[in-house]
Amino acid sequence: MTDGTNPQSTPQPEPAPGSGGYGFPPGPPAQGGYGFPPGTPAQGGYGFPPGPAPQDGYGFPHGTPPQDAGGYGYPQPGQQPNPYQVDPGAQQAPWSPAQPGTPGGDQPDWEAMADRSAAERRRKRLWMLGGGVSVLALLAAGGTFFLLGGNGDGTDDQADGNPPASASPGPSGSKSPAPYSPTVEGDATLLRDSNGRIGIRLGPDTQVGPVGKRFQIVSKGTANSYGQAAEPAVDVSKSFTVTARVYSSNAKGSRIAVSQGDGESFSFELGIDMVNGKQAWIFRVQTGDKGAAATTQTVVAEGLNMVKTATVLMATYDAEKKTIALYVEGKKAGEAAVPGIWQAPGPLQLGRSRHHNIWSGAWQGAMHNIRVYESAFSQEQATAYKEGKLGAAPKPSHSWLLT
């Protein structure tokens, strides 16, 4: 908005004589004009290759367009039109994914996809239901679970020389180990010996239970809570080591995890007994043939947690030094001198021990990673075993429930 008067202006001076005007350098323009190199333009003009222009111009093939053709890019008469060539004069309908013959026009089978998704959901629900039923069944049997992040003692089954149960070729032709089975195929009550040939038959109140990808036996603590091998697994006249990872859920009385013998008395027993009015971890051997208390020798670990606490127990006998030792969680609890160990008749036992011709010390809880070695472990080996650093040697002579 103005007041109606013209704004003041400043006249511009005329360009100096001989100059090219405002914005141009003085003097006559260079040959060819501003923005072009001096000299005569190259044949064909700037921006085009020298020489005469190709027939039909740049960007088109040489020669005359095909007779009766609609120009380059269009089919000759009698040829099938290109379905992707757009005719500028044709009326174009909007594209729809349902149109047949167009890119992406084939509709997926939505109903079949929905059926497959529903079947997958049903399979997952059945799998979860089956796992829940297994847990409830073991709880109903009075079982006690202990959850383990590894093998329980940190050892590697392959390092112990335990071969996989079987191998099957994979998609690429390589062999992969079959899933570990804690029992003999076709018999869920017979524990499989991974390093030897001695199976252990489970009593009615001891069952194999899964814990994630691993297995353990769970016992009720009754007279039927046991496992009995077909024969002795330990030669007590020679050096040996017996180890197991155990979990007790009973805070009273004697509870034996591993023993050997089914006659008048045991050869050895490893587990829990009452010492000075309280439960303690014990390793006890019989040195006489009558089973008398006067001929037994015991190593004790007192003041340790043993109820509802997963624990690695290890018992050793050095036949040369005539000594026995007890290790708890890889630490030596004590040792004692013995004249030798009586070779009691009868096989290896799990969850009970023989005292004066009767069974006692029924185990209530769980156990796994049961191994027998034909040598007496040292303190260094016991610690390495607990930490999973024992390596491939020594190799166990018998082992059950490794994972």
Side-chain angles (χ1 to χ4, degrees):
M1 195 73 177
T2 66
D3 57 2
T5 62
N6 293 326
Q8 185 176 1
S9 62
T10 303
Q12 295 294 324
E14 293 295 326
S19 69
Y22 295 107
F24 296 92
Q31 187 175 2
Y34 294 107
F36 296 92
T40 305
Q43 187 174 3
Y46 295 107
F48 297 92
Q55 189 174 0
D56 300 319
Y58 294 102
F60 297 91
H62 297 291
T64 306
Q67 189 174 1
D68 298 327
Y72 294 107
Y74 294 90
Q76 297 184 8
Q79 289 183 340
Q80 182 68 24
N82 187 342
Y84 301 102
Q85 178 68 47
V86 178
D87 185 355
Q91 183 68 27
Q92 297 296 317
W95 178 81
S96 168
Q99 294 177 2
T102 58
D106 293 334
Q107 284 278 38
D109 191 343
W110 300 109
E111 183 176 354
M113 292 173 64
D115 290 343
R116 286 194 297 270
S117 179
E120 180 66 16
R121 289 195 297 270
R122 285 196 299 271
R123 186 187 68 79
K124 290 182 178 179
R125 285 197 298 269
L126 289 174
W127 182 84
M128 295 177 66
L129 180 61
V133 169
S134 298
V135 172
L136 290 175
L138 286 169
L139 287 175
T144 303
F145 297 89
F146 54 99
L147 303 180
L148 304 173
N151 285 339
D153 51 16
T155 57
D156 185 340
D157 296 334
Q158 294 303 317
D160 280 343
N162 174 38
S166 62
S168 58
S172 62
S174 60
K175 292 186 177 181
S176 58
Y180 173 81
S181 175
T183 57
V184 174
E185 184 177 1
D187 192 341
T189 65
L190 185 61
L191 296 183
R192 183 175 65 87
D193 187 348
S194 296
N195 290 94
R197 298 180 179 273
I198 300 177
I200 298 179
R201 177 69 63 184
L202 300 180
D205 289 343
T206 296
Q207 299 177 355
V208 176
V211 179
K213 296 181 179 180
R214 294 165 175 81
F215 299 92
Q216 61 188 1
I217 54 172
V218 183
S219 300
K220 286 184 177 182
T222 67
N224 289 323
S225 301
Y226 66 88
Q228 178 170 292
E231 58 187 88
V234 180
D235 184 351
V236 297
S237 67
K238 301 177 182 179
S239 297
F240 67 84
T241 295
V242 174
T243 182
R245 184 170 173 84
V246 301
Y247 181 97
S248 173
S249 58
N250 194 304
K252 298 179 181 180
S254 173
R255 304 290 166 181
I256 302 302
V258 186
S259 70
Q260 185 163 284
D262 64 358
E264 185 174 358
S265 181
F266 59 90
S267 278
F268 69 86
E269 58 183 7
L270 173 65
I272 296 172
D273 201 0
M274 300 299 296
V275 177
N276 298 324
K278 296 181 181 181
Q279 283 188 325
W281 297 114
I282 62 98
F283 174 44
R284 181 180 290 125
V285 300
Q286 178 59 256
T287 63
D289 59 359
K290 299 298 181 182
T295 55
T296 62
Q297 184 63 262
T298 306
V299 179
V300 178
E302 297 182 77
L304 301 176
N305 293 330
M306 56 193 62
V307 179
K308 298 182 180 180
T309 303
T311 305
V312 176
L313 295 182
M314 180 178 290
T316 68
Y317 170 59
D318 190 321
E320 294 182 3
K321 297 180 179 180
K322 293 290 191 294
T323 57
I324 59 172
L326 171 64
Y327 297 85
V328 180
E329 289 291 284
K331 298 178 181 179
K332 181 182 282 189
E335 65 179 8
V338 294
I341 300 178
W342 175 54
Q343 187 78 270
L348 187 78
Q349 305 286 332
L350 300 181
R352 65 181 183 179
S353 183
R354 195 73 169 172
H355 284 249
H356 304 291
N357 284 316
I358 61 172
W359 293 112
S360 64
W363 187 264
Q364 181 174 333
M367 69 180 78
H368 78 161
N369 275 6
I370 304 159
R371 291 178 170 92
V372 175
Y373 294 86
E374 295 179 343
S375 62
F377 278 16
S378 65
Q379 173 64 78
E380 292 74 16
Q381 287 176 308
T383 301
Y385 180 89
K386 176 62 178 64
E387 295 177 351
K389 300 177 181 179
L390 184 61
K395 179 181 177 180
S397 55
H398 304 281
S399 57
W400 302 269
L401 295 164
L402 292 183
T403 60

